[in-house]
Amino acid sequence: MAVSKVSESIFEQFPGGVFPAACSSRVLLDHVTSKWGVLVLVSLTDGPQRWSELRRRAQGISEKMLAQTLKTLEADGLVDRDQKPVMPPRVDYSLTPLGEELAAVLVPLLRWVGRNSEEIIGATGPALPA
């Protein structure tokens, strides 16, 4: 019942469809729900981190993808880049207030994925597209 009630309110909020094709929300949705976007945002919930710390936490991310993801999230106003005027150069990344709000929503999603991934994907292997 709760899911259908949520669905009704979403469709009332977006009568032309959930984020119609021309809606700028689709761009932001793509940024914040990408695999690397989610992992970087949630990694930053522990506080400011340097590039190397983020790369270790988001295992498997390439340098290019980390740079691209951080630039995108910074441009969206979700991540702050703080470059310190020291030698060697030091850059810390942290969540902005908007990023903290978003991460608070993403953490329960990751917990759900962690609890259910083995049952959903582990036993049968990766789901194949239809």
Side-chain angles (χ1 to χ4, degrees), residues 74-98:
E74 183 183 4
D76 290 340
L78 302 170
V79 169
D80 183 49
R81 181 181 188 273
D82 181 24
Q83 185 168 350
K84 311 272 191 226
V86 296
M87 284 308 276
R90 178 186 173 111
V91 178
D92 290 318
Y93 295 92
S94 60
L95 294 172
T96 64
L98 212 56

Side-chain angles (χ1 to χ4, degrees), residues 13 19 30 47 52 55 66 68 70 81 104-108:
Q13 187 176 356
F19 300 141
D30 183 47
S52 57
R55 185 123 192 256
L66 181 56
Q68 183 179 331
L70 286 167
R81 181 181 188 273
V105 175
L106 294 174
V107 167

Side-chain angles (χ1 to χ4, degrees), residues 2-72:
V3 172
S4 65
K5 187 172 187 173
V6 168
S7 298
E8 289 171 359
S9 66
I10 290 292
F11 292 120
E12 289 170 10
Q13 187 176 356
F14 302 102
V18 178
F19 300 141
C23 184
S24 62
S25 299
R26 282 197 181 188
V27 174
L28 182 58
L29 185 64
D30 183 47
H31 295 173
V32 302
T33 61
S34 72
K35 170 176 59 176
W36 300 122
V38 169
L39 294 177
V40 166
L41 288 164
V42 171
S43 292
L44 288 170
T45 61
D46 281 344
Q49 292 170 49
R50 298 178 75 180
W51 171 279
S52 57
E53 294 170 295
L54 285 169
R55 185 123 192 256
R56 272 193 303 274
R57 285 177 167 235
Q59 293 179 13
I61 192 170
S62 68
E63 289 185 15
K64 179 181 176 183
M65 275 310 302
L66 181 56
Q68 183 179 331
T69 300
L70 286 167
K71 282 181 185 178
T72 298

